Structures are given as C-alpha cells and as structure tokens.
C-alpha cells in the first residue's frame, strides 16, 4: 500500500513537472554559468550544476516533457496498432490470422533496442527514427497477446449471442470484444511505456537519441557520467528518476489490470 | 508423429526467419547513407586499385539479388567479409569477442536462475506476507532500473569503494574470469532476475491455488516434494518462456553493460562498429545475434515439448 | 595533423600528408616544456625493477606495422617495442638512435651511418639492408602504406655500405629530415617479407630491435610485451608490459584507482579536476602543438561576410571555457600556427612579439552585435554545426556558443555525428559552413600546417582548407615558406584580419601514472622522441 501510494505520488509530481515545468523550475534550464560548473548541491542549486553550470534540477524538470512524451507516443502507437491487428487476426481467423501471425513470429523475438541501435546508428535518424523503430518492433509481442485475448473471448456465449442476434462485425468487435480485451491492452500500454522510457534513455546514453543541448534524462545520464565525483547528483538524479517513473508506471499497470479484469468479470457475470 | 510435425514446423519457421533477417541485414549496406563504395572504403585512401578490389570483392557490378546470393553463400561458409576499420576477417573479430559475451551471458543467466526462481517460488507460496511484498517491490525496481545505471553504481561501490572486484577487463583463467565478470553479470542479471521472479511468483500462485497441490498437501507429502515435484514443474512453462525473453534482453543489456564496464565483447563491438559505420562487422553481428535469438527460441519450444505432455499430445490439433 | 580525425576515425587520417603528420604527432605526448611541469609531491625515480606493469589507452592498436597503423594508439604500442632510425629530444631536435650520425650533402641526399652490433629480438644482427628495406616497403605503391604520405618525394633508398644507408629525393622536402624519427621503424627484412600482408597482425606482429618484444597482440584486447634483454640502449626497468584498451575514461580512472592499471596517456582535460583529486595518481602535463579552431567557409553565405566571421569570433567565451573544458590546462590561441612550434623556431621572445602584434577578438556580445549589424546578414541566420561524438569539449563549446549567439539573433544548432561520418564529411569538403576542428602537426616546423589549411590546392575534396580561403597574395606567401619566419608571420596576420579561422585553444596533454611509478625523463611534446616504456621507473 505504502509503495503504491509513494509511486502514485511520484508519478503525480512528474506529471505536474511536465505540465508546469516553466513555472516551477528554479532556473532557466538553458542558462549557463561558466564560473560555477560542476558544483555539488547547495541551497540555490538543490541538485548542483552540470559541466556548463546549468541547474540540474531545472533541467530534470524541463526533461520531464520529453521523458514522458516519447514513451507515451511509443505506447500509444503500439497499443493502437497491436489492438487493431490483434483484433483483426483473432476475430477473422483463417488466412488473415495465419499471415499476420507468421509476420508477428518473424519479429517477435528480436530485441527492439538492439535493432534501434543498429538502425539509428547506421542511418543517423535520431529521436523520431528511434521512436518509429521501437513502435514497429514492439507491436508484434502485443499483437500476440491481444489476439490470444480475443481468441479466448471469441467463442464465449456473449459473442456467440451477439452474432446470432445479427449484430454487425464492427459492432461485435468494438462494442463487445474490445472492452473485454481492454485490460490486456491497458496493461500492455503501460508496459510499452516503461520499455520505451528505458529504451530511449539507453539510446540517449549511447549517444543515439535526442539532439545536443536538450535536457533529456538519458542524455544527462551519459553527459554527466563524468561528474560522478564532483557532483554525483547530476548523474544519480536522472538515473533515479528513470527508475522511479518506470517502476511506478509498472505498478500502476499491474493495479489497473487487476481492477479492469475484475470489472470485466463482473460485467461478464451480469 | 505429432512431435515430429511440431518440430519440423518450428525448425522451418526458424529457417525462414533467419533467411528474412539475412536479407534485411544484407540490405544494410545498400541502404546506409552514401554509396556502398564510400561505406566500404571507410577512411582508407580511395586509390583506384582499392576501389576496384572492393567492387570486385562485393560484386558491386552485379544486380542486387545476385549480390545477395553471393553474400549469402559466403555467409554460409562463415565468410562475412572484412572489417572496414581494421581490414581483418569479420568472423575472426566475432570469434575473438564472442568469448567474453558468452561468459557474461551464461554467468548472468545462472545468476537469474539461482536467484529468481527460489525468490519467485517462495514469494508465490507465502503470498501476501512481508517476504512476498519485499520480493515484489524489489523485482519492480529491478525491472525498471536501466542496466547502465545499475552498472555504474556497482562499479563505484563494489569495485572502487570496497575493492571487492576488479573494475575492468575480462580476466583470463576460470577463477580470474569469474571475479572479473561478477559485477557486469550482476548488472546484467538484475532485470532478468526481476522478470523471472515476477513470472515465477505469478505462475506459482496460479498453481498453488490448484486442487492437486491442496490434495498433495492433504496427503501429507513433505513440503519439499510438493514444491519440487508439483509446483516447480507446473510453473516451469511460463518461467521458461520468460527465460527466453531474458536471453533476448541479455543481448541488449550486454551492449549497455559492456560499454559501461569496458569489456571487449560483442556488445561493445556493436557500439564501436555502428559508430564507425563498419557495416561488414555490423552485418556479421546482426546475423549472429538473430541466429542466437532464433536458436534459443527453438530450444524454448523444445523445452515446452519435454515439460508439458499437453503440448506433446496437442501437437497435431 | 587533424588530431580530431585521428581520435575520430583511427584509420581516418591517411588521405593526405597532413593527415598523416597528424596521426603521429598529434599524439602530442608533449613533454614538460616550460614551467610548472611536474605535479606536486611527485617522487624521484628509483633503481628497482618493475616485474609487471599495465598501461591503458582508449583503444587497442589496429596493427603493429607502422605502415598500416598511423594513429595514436597504434603508434604508442609501436614506439614502445620498435626502434626508429632517429629520435627527437624535448626541444624537437633530432638525436641518434639506430643511426649514429647523418649528413645532408645536398638538398636531395640524406646519408645515415648505422649503429653497429644491434640485434633483432631473435638474436640476428641488424644489417643496412634491413634498414633500407624498412623504408622502401613503405614507399612501395603495392603496399598502400598509410605512411606513404610522408614519402611522396622519395626517389630511392639503398644500403650503400655495411653501416650506411642513403636516401635520395626527387625534389627538396624541408620535412623529410623528420621521417627517420616519425615512421622509419626498423623491421627485419626476412621476417617482413615472409609475413607479407600480415606483418603487424596478431599472427605476425613484427621483428624489431627495440627494448620490448611482442609476446601477444590482439586488436581487441591489446598487446603484451616482454623485455628484450639484448637491447643496445638503456635496459628498461619494466620486465613485462601490458597494453590494454579501456574505452571509457571513467572506467579507466577507476581501474587506476584500484591499481589494476599503472598509467595512461591523454586523459581528457575536462576530467582533470577529478583526476587531480584521485589519491595515488600523479599527473604529468606537457604542452602540445595542437590548435583547435572554428572554421568558416568564406565562399558560402553567411560566412562570406567578414563581419559575420568577426561577430562569431567575438561570441566565443574562450576565457570562460578554459576551466570547464580543459581544467585550465590549455592556453588561448591567437593563430592557427602552434605557439610551441613558433617558439621552437624563433625563440620565446620573438614568438611572443609576433603573436602579440596580431589583432584579437575578445569575448564581447556587444561588439558581436555591432559586427553583425554591419554585415549583409544583420537579421541573423541559422547554422547547423556538426561535431564528432568522441570530442566532449566540442559539444560543450558549441552549446555555450549557441547560447551566446542566441542573444544576437543567430541560431546555432550543434549536431552530434558518428566519428566516421564526420570525418567523411570533412574529406568530402561539402557543406562546410561552420566547423569545429583541431589541427596538430608532427614536426617542430611552424609552417607545417599552413599549406594544408590555406590556399587553392587544399580547398577541395581531401583538402583541409575547410575555410576555402585562397587568394593570389596568400599563394605567394605559401610558395615562399621555408626557414624564414616572415611568410609564416604574414599568413598569421592575414588570418587574424580576415578570420577564416577563429583560433580557440592550444591544449596541454595530460598523462596519469600511479604514484609508485615515475617518468624519468619526463614526457616530451614529440611522440617520436619519447621512449615511454624505457622512461617508466619505480619511485624511490
């Protein structure tokens, strides 16, 4: 319970920071002070300064937007695509299903981040390409899960009943099947978010992410790695934030899944 | 028969996957920015002899499918061409680097199994106890912590602060290597432990709720037997599935961990080769990785077959 | 030169002579020239043997054959094990090594007298033919040696007696005299011919006369050396020397703290403060002949306007960046010509006088604004500036410059590029606009870089005149480069007035050694002059 409350609190803070960043940041995240570089935390700079004398806390706050936005894009992209494809495959069955599933099998096992490193490294596409690759390669795994959720539902009495009553295919898909596979989709959505958060941070850590100068958490982690002695907060800050946000979202995902599948069961009974 | 059909299908699927991957990997050279000659030249002096040699070697004058065919037949004989950066045979470089990564991967995998399975089992059995909550929260943090962050922390605490472990290099000889690779393996294993512990816990909870466990316990079978013979075996399927995932994850993690600990493995080779656009090496690495992943998935499928009679008998359905 | 390229692409620098010079010399193992060389509390050298010592560098050597390994990391390993014909001392003067004396009877002929009684690692005596062959094979087009760039004017090299080798050039080359120190590494002819293309590889590492023999070499994890007991010169103190690659600077520092690594060359200056505070490590600083600078293509908008170039020059906070970027271990530069090279040629005072007379552009955003207003691009502009990811200081400098320029209406977008791509763009000589570069010659001659950075001949693909700065007056001055300082000083002035290049810093080199070891003698600015493996001693 305490853990859940803490993680909800942490997530709340991060979301507020993303929304109100400009107002609550103590300093301009881009302002440099060459006379005060790599300073450890003090009363003015709670997390100290980086190599160009920029306030680390303000940069972390400014970074919340990219930190949430990129993974959110990936998660949404994955959710929409994998739900659509999974529904189609599971409901239609037949050759559509086998074709989709063969394609899914093909990419299923390939680690997305590894491919992203190669593709972004070789083509130099930066952040947008990284997001694209992560979406493309995360879709198959989720498609599989959605499909099996649909398969589990397809032959249940209520779908059968809906079909007998003569409801249209679209109606059955969206009004009946979708709500019932939603717990899976939501849980996956949040898991994709976490995967993308850590993945994009890893790419930025390897120098393959957002552009120079942007206050990105992964970038800060890599760039401030050298400050581990002078101002460790500059490196530990982003590392802790990434870990905490990822853990909180995972926890939220678990909880949401429990709640929704419970409601789904109740709805099914009624 | 069913078993054979199942096997045949899986092997065929694996072969097709590998073939498609090889085509994509081969296309990297053509698709990478700049002309293929430019990429293959790297920073070498573009003398007419060298360009001619490269064109001939990579059959740049032939049509694309022909080139692919030649490249593929070379690959089947383990000829991936030569590194742009060092002019050495790619296969030699890979062989040299494979050693460290294999050690690291296996070490981490052993750690995962040794830590995650008991932790997950015990948490699942003692559901909702303090121990269970502890395992769950730790696993949650572990699955979310980026491996490079974990690596840096381990490095400064156990390598430098306490001086328990060496901080760079892969070591030579068994004991030396184990001590060198302990910190990287832990950094790599953390997320894997978390994933497998969560899976094991969930699977155990699922299984322990089943009647046969209650029955076994009612029969008065020792707890050890109940756990070992029934719970462990029956929760093995999801655990093995996630072990496959862990391998895929380890490969990615190895890239980050090897970069952090300066280990001369395949992961750091990938980062170096990608950043210097050493396409032949990247191709070799990508293909090797794909083969590894596909191979392990095949093994996972086979384990299913061995462990779960239902899969064996349902093969033909 | 082009140390940037050197670090960037390892193999990168072989297309032009400059590049080659860079590779070697860029190394800039600069010695403790000038004052304040030694760290406080450094101990004196003792006489004890060191059974084993581990040296670390950011990467392993590519090859141990200098013909195919003209980059810093490889050169360091080669210079530890092999002998050249000559060496350079701390002042950049040539000194005997395998050659005991040399003459230059006419501008096209160099005659070297060889040391007698020198043996290879396998015990066989060194002959004049071994020495001649060692250079001849590098000039052979079939060998496609990276070092060929030094040897474009070489006509022939022959053994002209049992203890004599004679070199003939096609045309006079003021820089040839340094070749015996820079690339004339002696390999046994018989071994080299048997090894063929695989000379310098793990299987056939080479056969030299130097203080160490190679016992194991791998381009993945470095080199192991063992003392050569029959060495003709001072017997090294270190019995077994290991050379390991550790790419990550922080991992390297940790390894030094834990005692697994004894020393390293070229600590990133940005990290200096941290290294200084690390217990048990002594730091050695030396000047270098490298200069880093901004380059602006004077043939493309908006940099075709001198006022824009001056506005940029006024916007770089060099003084402010000195400490954050280089831990204070650099000096502000006022010319693309290295002040160390200039001092080596004309002495400290005269050099200061030449440099002091140049116009300067102090950091002043007010003046930058005025200059921009005077230009044809008063409304400001946007420019993307690429930098190689291996150079953290260039990122910081560009981020700072971008911030400053934003106040006068100019948008500068720093763009990280993989090293190879960055190098390829420079070679391709396209879309140059604003570039951040570093040049570092190999010889003490101050005019070394000028023909590469200025003039029509270098203003095209594979040329390093990234500013495309050329006019007839300049060509005349380039043509008269020689032993006289006047044309060099005139080109320096022209650069200061027209600002195709904004000189930024001359970095020192920083080397780290565990406190129980000492360098004796201290490192020098000249790679070919610093036999580092022999200089390693146990502290008394």
């Amino acid at each position: 319970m305490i853990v859940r409350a803490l993680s909800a609190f942490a997530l709340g803070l991060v979301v507020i920071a993303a929304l109100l960043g400009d107002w609550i940041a103590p300093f301009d995240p881009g302002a440099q002070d060459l006379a005060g570089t790599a300073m450890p935390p003090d009363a003015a700079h709670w997390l100290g300064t980086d190599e160009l004398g920029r306030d680390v806390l303000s940069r972390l706050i400014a970074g919340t937007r990219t930190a949430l936005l990129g993974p959110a894009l990936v998660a949404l992209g994955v959710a929409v695509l994998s739900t659509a494809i999974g529904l189609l495959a599971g409901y239609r069955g037949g050759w559509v299903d086998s074709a989709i599933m063969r394609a899914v099998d093909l990419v299923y096992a390939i680690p997305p981040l590894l491919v992203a490193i190669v593709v972004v490294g070789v083509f130099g596409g930066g952040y947008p390409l990284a997001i694209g690759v992560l979406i493309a390669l995360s879709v198959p795994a989720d498609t599989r899960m959605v499909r099996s959720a649909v398969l589990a539902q397809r032959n249940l009495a209520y779908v059968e009943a809906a079909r007998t009553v003569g409801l249209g295919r679209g109606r059955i898909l969206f009004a009946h099947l979708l709500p019932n596979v939603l717990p899976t989709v939501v849980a996956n959505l949040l898991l994709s978010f976490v995967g993308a958060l850590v993945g994009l941070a890893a790419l930025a850590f390897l120098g393959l992410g957002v552009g120079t100068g942007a206050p990105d958490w992964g970038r800060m982690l890599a760039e401030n790695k050298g400050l581990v002695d002078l101002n460790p907060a500059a490196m530990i800050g982003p590392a802790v934030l990434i870990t905490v946000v990822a853990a909180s979202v995972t926890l939220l995902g678990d909880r949401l899944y429990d709640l929704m599948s419970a409601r789904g069961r109740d709805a099914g009974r009624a | 028969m069913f078993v054979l059909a199942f096997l045949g299908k899986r092997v065929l699927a694996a072969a097709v996957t590998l073939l498609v991957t090889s085509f994509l990997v081969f296309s990297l050279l053509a698709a990478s920015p700049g002309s293929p000659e430019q990429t293959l030249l790297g920073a070498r002096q573009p003398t007419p002899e060298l360009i001619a040699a490269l064109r001939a070697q990579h059959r740049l004058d032939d049509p694309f499918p022909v080139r692919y065919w030649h490249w593929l037949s070379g690959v089947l004989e383990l000829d991936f061409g030569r590194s742009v950066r060092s002019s050495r045979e790619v296969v030699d470089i890979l062989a040299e680097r494979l050693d460290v990564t294999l050690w690291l991967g296996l070490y981490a995998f052993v750690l995962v199994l040794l830590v995650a399975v008991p932790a997950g089992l015990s948490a699942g059995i003692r559901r909702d106890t303090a121990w269970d909550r502890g395992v769950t929260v730790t696993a949650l943090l572990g699955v979310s912590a980026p491996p490079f962050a974990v690596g840096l922390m381990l490095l400064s605490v156990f390598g430098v602060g306490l001086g328990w472990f060496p901080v760079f290099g892969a070591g030579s000889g068994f004991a030396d290597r184990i001590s060198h690779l302990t910190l990287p393996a832990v950094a790599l294993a953390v997320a894997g432990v978390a994933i497998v512990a969560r899976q094991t816990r969930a699977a155990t909870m699922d299984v322990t709720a089943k009647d046969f466990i209650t029955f076994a316990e009612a029969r008065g079978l020792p707890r050890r037997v109940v756990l070992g013979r029934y719970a462990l075996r029956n929760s093995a399927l999801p655990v093995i599935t996630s072990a496959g995932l862990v391998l895929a994850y380890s490969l990615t993690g190895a890239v980050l961990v090897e970069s952090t600990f300066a280990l001369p493995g395949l992961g750091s080779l990938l980062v170096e080769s990608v950043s210097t656009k050493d396409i032949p090496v990247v191709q070799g690495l990508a293909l090797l990785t794909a083969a590894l992943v596909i191979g392990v998935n095949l093994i996972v499928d086979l384990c299913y077959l061995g462990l779960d009679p239902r899969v064996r008998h349902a093969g033909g359905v | 030169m082009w140390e940037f390229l050197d670090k960037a692409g390892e193999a990168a620098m072989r297309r032009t002579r400059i590049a080659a010079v860079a590779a070697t010399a860029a190394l800039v193992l600069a010695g403790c020239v000038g004052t304040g060389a030694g760290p406080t509390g450094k101990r004196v050298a003792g006489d004890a043997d060191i059974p084993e010592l581990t040296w670390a560098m950011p990467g392993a050597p590519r090859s141990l054959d200098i013909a195919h390994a003209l980059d810093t990391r490889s050169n360091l390993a080669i210079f530890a094990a092999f002998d050249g014909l000559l060496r350079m001392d701390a002042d950049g003067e040539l000194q005997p090594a395998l050659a005991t004396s040399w003459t230059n009877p006419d501008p096209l002929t160099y005659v070297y007298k060889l040391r007698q009684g020198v043996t290879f690692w396998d015990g066989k005596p060194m002959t004049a033919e071994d020495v001649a062959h060692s250079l001849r094979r590098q000039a052979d087009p079939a060998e496609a040696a990276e070092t060929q760039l030094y040897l474009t004017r070489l006509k022939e090299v022959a053994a002209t007696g049992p203890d004599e080798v004679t070199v003939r050039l096609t045309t006079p080359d003021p820089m040839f005299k340094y070749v015996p120190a820079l690339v004339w590494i002696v390999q046994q002819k018989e071994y080299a011919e048997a090894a063929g293309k695989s000379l310098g590889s793990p299987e056939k590492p080479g056969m030299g006369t130097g203080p160490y023999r190679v016992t194991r070499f791998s381009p993945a994890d470095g080199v192991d050396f063992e003392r050569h007991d029959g060495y003709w010169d001072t017997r090294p103190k270190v019995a077994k020397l290991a050379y390991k690659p550790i790419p990550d600077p922080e991992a390297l520092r940790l390894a030094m703290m834990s005692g697994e690594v004894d020393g390293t060359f070229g600590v990133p200056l940005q990290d200096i403060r941290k290294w200084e505070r690390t217990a048990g490590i002594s730091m050695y600083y030396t000047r270098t002949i490298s200069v880093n600078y901004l380059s602006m293509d004077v043939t493309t908008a908006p940099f075709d306007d001198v006022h824009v170039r001056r506005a940029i020059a006024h916007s770089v906070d060099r003084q402010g960046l000195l400490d954050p970027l280089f831990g204070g271990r650099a000096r502000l530069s006022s010319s693309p010509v290295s002040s160390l090279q200039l001092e080596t040629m004309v002495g400290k005072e005269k050099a200061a006088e030449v440099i002091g007379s140049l116009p300067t552009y102090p950091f002043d955003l007010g003046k930058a604004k005025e200059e921009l207003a005077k230009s044809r691009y008063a409304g400001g502009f946007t420019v993307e500036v690429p930098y190689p990811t291996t150079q953290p200081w260039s990122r910081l400098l560009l981020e700072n410059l971008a911030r400053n320029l934003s106040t006068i209406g100019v948008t500068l977008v720093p763009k990280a590029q993989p090293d190879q791509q960055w190098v390829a763009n420079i070679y391709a000589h396209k879309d140059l606009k604003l570039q951040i570069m570093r040049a570092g010659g190999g010889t003490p001659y101050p005019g070394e870089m000028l023909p590469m950075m200025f003039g029509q001949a270098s203003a095209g693909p594979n040329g390093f005149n990234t500013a495309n700065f050329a006019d007839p007056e300049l060509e005349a001055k380039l043509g008269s480069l020689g032993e006289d300082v006047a044309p060099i000083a005139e080109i320096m002035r022209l650069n200061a007035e027209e600002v195709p290049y904004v000189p930024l810093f001359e970095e020192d080199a920083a080397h780290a050694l565990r406190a129980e070891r000492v360098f004796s003698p201290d490192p020098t600015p000249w790679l070919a002059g610093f036999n580092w493996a022999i200089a390693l001693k146990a502290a008394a």
Side-chain angles (χ1 to χ4, degrees), chain A residues 237-251:
Chain A
V240 167
L241 258 180
I242 294 168
T243 309
V244 165
V245 171
S248 305
V249 175
T250 311
L251 200 65

Side-chain angles (χ1 to χ4, degrees), chain C residues 85-305:
Chain C
L85 218 51
L86 299 177
R87 292 175 187 157
M88 268 189 263
D89 67 13
D91 300 321
E93 298 291 336
L94 291 165
Q95 300 295 339
L98 289 180
T100 49
S101 66
W102 62 99
T103 53
N104 187 195
D106 65 77
L108 295 179
T109 311
Y110 292 78
V111 181
Y112 299 91
K113 285 279 178 215
L114 302 179
R115 191 176 296 279
Q116 291 303 287
V118 175
T119 56
F120 285 104
W121 300 329
D122 63 1
K124 290 181 186 157
M126 177 188 82
T127 67
E129 183 52 29
D130 287 320
V131 174
H133 179 260
S134 297
L135 193 64
R136 200 185 295 134
R137 57 175 276 270
Q138 296 187 43
D140 182 355
E143 183 71 36
E146 293 163 21
T147 46
Q148 222 166 29
L149 311 158
Y150 286 101
L151 307 170
T152 47
R153 304 187 197 180
L154 183 74
K155 189 173 167 199
E156 58 169 356
V157 48
T160 43
D163 64 341
E164 189 187 88
V165 172
T166 303
V167 173
R168 277 179 226 289
L169 304 181
T170 51
T171 46
D173 183 351
M175 302 227 275
F176 181 81
K177 63 178 178 178
Y178 300 110
V179 162
L182 291 177
V183 299
W184 199 338
I185 295 293
V186 174
Q187 294 260 12
Q188 193 177 72
K189 182 181 178 183
E190 187 190 340
Y191 184 99
E193 284 187 333
K197 281 274 180 203
S198 57
L199 186 67
S201 71
E203 296 76 32
K204 291 279 175 195
M207 180 59 68
T209 64
Y212 286 92
R213 73 175 87 236
V214 178
T215 52
R216 191 191 60 90
F217 164 50
S218 150
D221 57 6
V223 196
D224 288 337
F225 300 102
E226 199 177 71
R227 188 163 54 201
H228 168 212
D229 286 319
Y231 189 47
W232 60 270
D233 199 359
T234 329
R235 180 174 176 273
K237 295 292 179 199
V238 177
K240 282 187 172 171
L241 179 66
Y243 181 110
K244 304 242 180 222
I246 305 184
D248 182 75
E250 191 53 23
L252 200 161
R253 192 180 64 93
L254 296 178
M256 276 196 70
M257 272 172 83
S258 69
E260 281 174 78
V261 165
D262 291 279
T264 184
F265 290 124
V267 171
L269 292 176
Q270 209 183 322
D271 299 341
I272 282 302
R273 277 185 285 181
K274 191 166 53 186
W275 284 73
E276 290 274 9
R277 297 192 335 187
T278 307
I281 296 180
S282 341
M283 299 299 297
Y284 290 74
Y285 299 98
T286 67
R287 281 177 73 180
T288 71
I289 50 174
S290 75
V291 179
N292 46 44
Y293 56 89
L294 295 175
S295 155
M296 288 170 282
D297 181 357
V298 301
T299 60
T300 50
F303 303 108
D304 53 352
D305 189 320

Side-chain angles (χ1 to χ4, degrees), chain A residues 3 106 109 111 113-114 117-118 121-123 198 201-202 205-206 221 225 235 239 242-243 246-247 250-251 254, chain B residues 17 20 31-33 137 140-141 144-146 148-149 152 198 248 251-252 255-256 270 274 277 282 289 293 297:
Chain A
V3 177
L106 209 64
L113 184 57
L114 221 53
I117 291 173
V118 171
V122 169
F123 298 98
V198 176
F205 178 75
L206 296 175
L221 191 58
K225 210 172 109 187
M235 188 202 90
I242 294 168
T243 309
T250 311
L251 200 65
D254 284 2
Chain B
T17 312
V20 174
S32 74
V137 171
L140 190 68
L141 282 175
S144 316
F148 43 90
L152 283 173
R198 279 162 68 95
L251 288 170
T252 312
V255 174
L256 300 166
L270 179 69
V274 158
K277 300 242 157 128
V282 174
T289 313
V293 170
N297 281 316

Side-chain angles (χ1 to χ4, degrees), chain A residues 28 32 51 54 225-226, chain C residues 248 270 274 399-400 403:
Chain A
D28 170 356
Q32 303 174 3
E51 290 165 298
R54 294 175 292 204
K225 210 172 109 187
Chain C
D248 182 75
Q270 209 183 322
K274 191 166 53 186
E399 282 195 49
N400 184 250
R403 184 85 187 170

Side-chain angles (χ1 to χ4, degrees), chain A residues 47-249:
Chain A
L47 292 177
T49 60
D50 71 3
E51 290 165 298
L52 285 171
R54 294 175 292 204
D55 182 54
V56 172
L57 179 62
S58 303
R59 288 180 75 69
L60 281 179
I61 292 173
T64 45
R65 245 172 248 179
T66 16
L68 299 184
L69 203 64
L73 273 175
V74 173
L76 278 177
V78 171
V80 169
L81 285 174
S82 61
T83 307
I85 301 173
L87 277 177
L88 186 69
Y91 187 73
R92 278 291 298 270
W95 68 268
V96 177
D97 184 33
S98 6
I100 289 175
M101 290 324 286
R102 286 298 79 77
V104 161
D105 281 345
L106 209 64
V107 258
Y108 173 62
I110 300 171
L113 184 57
L114 221 53
V115 180
I117 291 173
V118 171
V119 172
V120 179
V122 169
F123 298 98
Y127 202 63
L129 185 61
I131 288 183
V133 171
L134 287 183
I135 292 180
L137 290 158
S138 309
V139 163
D142 285 22
T143 302
R144 253 191 182 187
M145 288 187 229
V146 172
R147 173 181 171 270
S148 44
V150 173
L151 283 184
Q153 301 279 336
R154 193 174 65 170
N155 297 321
L156 290 184
Y158 76 97
V159 180
E160 207 70 52
R163 221 177 284 146
T164 327
V165 178
L167 286 184
R169 185 180 289 160
R171 186 82 193 274
I172 294 176
L173 273 177
F174 289 100
H176 294 277
L177 279 178
L178 189 60
N180 282 293
V181 297
L182 215 56
T184 314
V185 172
V186 170
N188 287 349
L189 181 98
L190 292 173
L191 281 181
S192 311
F193 180 92
V194 174
L197 177 72
V198 176
L200 288 171
L203 282 174
F205 178 75
L206 296 175
L208 299 170
V210 294
T212 306
D216 172 83
W217 294 352
R219 240 202 122 83
M220 288 173 74
L221 191 58
E223 285 174 357
N224 297 341
K225 210 172 109 187
L227 295 179
V228 71
D229 276 35
L230 299 170
N231 178 20
M235 188 202 90
I236 295 170
V240 167
L241 258 180
I242 294 168
T243 309
V244 165
V245 171
S248 305
V249 175

